[in-house]
Amino acid sequence: MKVIGLTGGVGSGKSTVTEILKNMGFPAVQTDAVGKELMAPGEPGYLEITALFGNSILKNDGQIDRPKLALIIFQDSRRKALVESIIHPMVKKRVFNAVTEAQIAGKTEYFFVESALLYEDHYETICDEFWYVYAPESVRRERLKASRGYSDEKIDSILKNQLSDKKFRSICSQIIDNGGDPEHTKAQLEKLLNLC
């Protein structure tokens, strides 16, 4: 079984590519979704984060108020690094376990791991190779404004803190152009996976 890491900048459509692959019958895990699971009440991430920040970051139903937590940690790089040092290793362990289970089951030729931080979090220890989900910056900006309501300033700030197009291309063995319609993206994936 080959483990492929899907990565790319914000707004490139990594989740769209992952959904296409799932619809094609391939197992995939998204590190953002795993991170959210770990922050649910009773989960290890929840317990550690609430021990750090107390009840002030909880909503009335006991869930972590993620926007409130984000506001706190993005204003303090030390706290942000601390939260990441807790959550990222937990996420990586869950991803590793999911990959191992799929290998033991032996039912798939490919397993996909989607994350913006594959390179930074050293997922080469889990993935056989990385694929770059690419979209032009103008398309990414339009998507982020339309789907998330981000301002130009917020987009500028995010892009400034992400890997450059050149860096993504240097660390990835394949490039998926996801700047157009999903059928074009699917056709590229089918070719890469020798399905056509």
Coordinates of all heavy atoms in Angstrom, one line a residue, residues 2-7 31 92 95-96 99 103 113 115-131 163 167 170-173:
K2 N 0.6 2.2 -0.9 CA 1.3 3.4 -1.0 C 0.6 4.5 -0.2 O -0.6 4.7 -0.4 CB 1.5 3.8 -2.4 CG 2.6 4.8 -2.7 CD 2.9 4.8 -4.1 CE 4.3 5.5 -4.4 NZ 4.7 5.6 -5.8
V3 N 1.3 5.2 0.6 CA 0.7 6.3 1.4 C 1.1 7.7 0.8 O 2.3 8.0 0.7 CB 1.1 6.3 2.9 CG1 0.4 7.4 3.7 CG2 0.9 4.9 3.5
I4 N 0.1 8.4 0.3 CA 0.3 9.7 -0.4 C -0.2 10.8 0.5 O -1.3 10.8 1.0 CB -0.5 9.7 -1.7 CG1 -0.3 8.5 -2.6 CG2 -0.2 11.0 -2.4 CD1 1.1 8.4 -3.2
G5 N 0.7 11.8 0.7 CA 0.4 13.0 1.4 C -0.1 14.1 0.5 O 0.6 14.4 -0.5
L6 N -1.3 14.6 0.7 CA -1.8 15.7 -0.1 C -1.6 17.0 0.6 O -2.0 17.1 1.8 CB -3.3 15.5 -0.4 CG -3.7 14.3 -1.2 CD1 -5.3 14.2 -1.1 CD2 -3.2 14.4 -2.6
T7 N -0.9 17.9 0.0 CA -0.6 19.2 0.7 C -0.8 20.4 -0.3 O -1.0 20.2 -1.5 CB 0.8 19.2 1.3 OG1 0.9 20.3 2.2 CG2 1.9 19.2 0.3
T31 N -6.0 15.8 8.5 CA -5.4 16.1 9.8 C -6.3 17.2 10.5 O -6.4 17.1 11.7 CB -4.0 16.6 9.7 OG1 -3.9 17.7 8.9 CG2 -3.1 15.4 9.2
K92 N -0.8 13.2 14.6 CA 0.1 12.3 13.9 C 0.0 10.9 14.3 O 0.0 10.0 13.5 CB 1.6 12.8 14.0 CG 2.5 12.3 13.0 CD 3.9 13.1 13.1 CE 4.8 12.6 12.0 NZ 6.1 13.3 12.1
V95 N -3.2 9.5 12.8 CA -3.0 9.2 11.4 C -2.2 8.0 11.2 O -2.5 7.1 10.4 CB -2.3 10.5 10.7 CG1 -1.9 10.1 9.3 CG2 -3.2 11.7 10.7
F96 N -1.1 7.8 11.9 CA -0.2 6.6 11.8 C -1.1 5.4 12.1 O -0.9 4.4 11.4 CB 0.9 6.7 12.8 CG 1.8 5.5 12.8 CD1 2.7 5.3 11.8 CD2 1.7 4.6 13.8 CE1 3.6 4.2 11.8 CE2 2.5 3.5 13.8 CZ 3.4 3.3 12.8
V99 N -3.3 4.6 9.2 CA -2.5 4.0 8.1 C -2.2 2.6 8.4 O -2.3 1.7 7.5 CB -1.2 4.9 7.8 CG1 -0.3 4.1 6.9 CG2 -1.6 6.2 7.2
Q103 N -3.1 -0.8 6.3 CA -2.1 -1.7 5.8 C -2.4 -3.2 6.2 O -2.2 -4.1 5.5 CB -0.7 -1.3 6.3 CG -0.1 -0.1 5.6 CD 1.2 0.4 6.2 OE1 1.3 0.4 7.4 NE2 2.1 0.9 5.4
V113 N -3.3 11.0 3.0 CA -3.3 11.9 4.2 C -3.3 13.3 3.7 O -2.4 13.7 3.0 CB -2.0 11.6 5.0 CG1 -2.0 12.5 6.2 CG2 -1.9 10.1 5.4
S115 N -3.1 17.3 4.6 CA -2.7 18.3 5.6 C -1.9 19.4 4.9 O -1.1 19.2 4.0 CB -1.8 17.6 6.6 OG -1.3 18.6 7.6
A116 N -2.1 20.6 5.4 CA -1.4 21.8 5.0 C 0.1 21.7 5.5 O 1.0 22.4 5.0 CB -2.0 23.1 5.4
L117 N 0.3 21.0 6.6 CA 1.6 21.0 7.3 C 2.3 19.7 7.2 O 3.1 19.3 8.1 CB 1.4 21.3 8.8 CG 0.7 22.7 9.0 CD1 0.4 22.9 10.5 CD2 1.6 23.9 8.6
L118 N 2.2 19.0 6.1 CA 2.9 17.7 5.9 C 4.4 17.8 6.1 O 5.1 17.1 6.7 CB 2.6 17.0 4.6 CG 1.2 16.5 4.3 CD1 1.1 15.9 2.9 CD2 0.9 15.4 5.4
Y119 N 4.9 18.9 5.4 CA 6.4 19.1 5.4 C 6.8 19.6 6.8 O 7.8 19.0 7.4 CB 6.7 20.1 4.3 CG 8.2 20.5 4.3 CD1 9.1 19.7 3.8 CD2 8.6 21.8 4.8 CE1 10.5 20.1 3.8 CE2 9.9 22.2 4.8 CZ 10.8 21.3 4.3 OH 12.2 21.7 4.3
E120 N 6.1 20.6 7.3 CA 6.5 21.1 8.6 C 6.5 20.1 9.8 O 7.3 20.2 10.7 CB 5.7 22.4 9.0 CG 5.8 23.5 8.0 CD 4.8 23.5 6.8 OE1 4.4 22.3 6.4 OE2 4.5 24.5 6.3
D121 N 5.5 19.2 9.7 CA 5.3 18.2 10.8 C 5.9 16.9 10.5 O 5.6 15.9 11.1 CB 3.8 18.1 11.1 CG 3.2 19.2 11.9 OD1 4.0 20.0 12.4 OD2 1.9 19.3 11.9
H122 N 6.8 16.9 9.4 CA 7.6 15.7 9.1 C 6.8 14.4 8.8 O 7.1 13.4 9.4 CB 8.6 15.5 10.2 CG 9.6 16.6 10.4 ND1 10.5 16.9 9.5 CD2 9.6 17.6 11.3 CE1 11.2 18.0 9.9 NE2 10.6 18.5 11.0
Y123 N 5.8 14.6 8.0 CA 4.9 13.4 7.7 C 5.6 12.5 6.7 O 5.1 11.5 6.3 CB 3.6 13.8 7.1 CG 2.5 14.0 8.2 CD1 2.5 15.2 9.0 CD2 1.6 13.0 8.5 CE1 1.6 15.3 10.0 CE2 0.7 13.2 9.6 CZ 0.7 14.3 10.3 OH -0.2 14.5 11.3
E124 N 6.9 12.8 6.3 CA 7.6 11.9 5.4 C 7.9 10.6 6.2 O 8.2 9.5 5.6 CB 8.9 12.5 4.9 CG 10.0 12.7 6.0 CD 9.8 14.0 6.7 OE1 8.9 14.8 6.5 OE2 10.7 14.3 7.6
T125 N 7.7 10.6 7.5 CA 7.9 9.4 8.3 C 6.7 8.4 8.2 O 6.8 7.3 8.5 CB 8.1 9.7 9.8 OG1 6.9 10.4 10.3 CG2 9.3 10.5 10.1
I126 N 5.6 9.0 7.6 CA 4.4 8.2 7.4 C 4.1 8.0 5.9 O 3.7 6.9 5.5 CB 3.1 8.8 8.1 CG1 3.3 8.8 9.6 CG2 1.8 8.2 7.7 CD1 2.3 9.6 10.4
C127 N 4.3 9.1 5.1 CA 3.9 9.1 3.7 C 5.1 8.7 2.8 O 6.3 9.0 3.1 CB 3.5 10.5 3.3 SG 2.0 11.1 4.2
D128 N 4.8 7.9 1.8 CA 5.8 7.5 0.8 C 6.2 8.7 -0.1 O 7.3 8.8 -0.6 CB 5.3 6.4 0.0 CG 5.0 5.1 0.8 OD1 6.0 4.7 1.5 OD2 3.9 4.6 0.8
E129 N 5.2 9.6 -0.4 CA 5.5 10.7 -1.2 C 4.4 11.8 -0.9 O 3.4 11.5 -0.4 CB 5.6 10.4 -2.7 CG 4.3 9.8 -3.3 CD 4.6 9.3 -4.7 OE1 5.0 8.2 -5.0 OE2 4.2 10.2 -5.6
F130 N 4.7 13.0 -1.3 CA 3.8 14.1 -1.2 C 3.3 14.6 -2.6 O 4.1 14.6 -3.5 CB 4.4 15.4 -0.5 CG 4.9 15.2 0.9 CD1 5.8 16.0 1.4 CD2 4.4 14.2 1.7 CE1 6.2 15.9 2.8 CE2 4.8 14.0 3.0 CZ 5.7 14.9 3.5
W131 N 2.0 14.9 -2.7 CA 1.5 15.5 -3.9 C 1.0 16.9 -3.6 O 0.4 17.1 -2.6 CB 0.3 14.6 -4.5 CG 0.7 13.3 -5.0 CD1 1.9 12.7 -5.0 CD2 -0.2 12.3 -5.6 NE1 1.9 11.5 -5.6 CE2 0.6 11.2 -5.9 CE3 -1.6 12.3 -5.8 CZ2 0.0 10.1 -6.5 CZ3 -2.1 11.2 -6.4 CH2 -1.4 10.1 -6.8
L163 N 4.1 27.9 3.2 CA 5.2 27.6 2.2 C 4.9 28.3 0.9 O 3.8 28.4 0.5 CB 5.4 26.1 2.0 CG 5.7 25.2 3.2 CD1 5.8 23.8 2.8 CD2 7.1 25.7 3.8
K167 N 8.5 26.2 -3.0 CA 8.9 25.2 -1.9 C 8.0 23.9 -2.1 O 8.4 22.8 -2.0 CB 8.8 25.8 -0.5 CG 9.2 24.8 0.6 CD 10.7 24.5 0.4 CE 11.1 23.6 1.5 NZ 12.5 23.2 1.4
S170 N 9.1 21.8 -4.8 CA 10.4 21.2 -4.6 C 10.2 19.9 -3.7 O 11.1 19.0 -3.7 CB 11.4 22.1 -3.9 OG 11.1 22.4 -2.6
I171 N 9.2 19.9 -2.8 CA 9.1 18.8 -1.9 C 8.1 17.7 -2.4 O 8.0 16.6 -1.8 CB 8.7 19.2 -0.5 CG1 7.3 20.0 -0.5 CG2 9.7 20.1 0.1 CD1 6.7 20.2 0.9
C172 N 7.3 18.0 -3.4 CA 6.2 17.1 -3.9 C 6.6 16.5 -5.2 O 7.2 17.1 -6.1 CB 4.9 17.9 -4.1 SG 4.3 18.5 -2.5
S173 N 6.2 15.2 -5.3 CA 6.6 14.4 -6.5 C 5.6 14.6 -7.6 O 5.9 14.3 -8.8 CB 6.7 12.9 -6.2 OG 5.5 12.4 -5.6

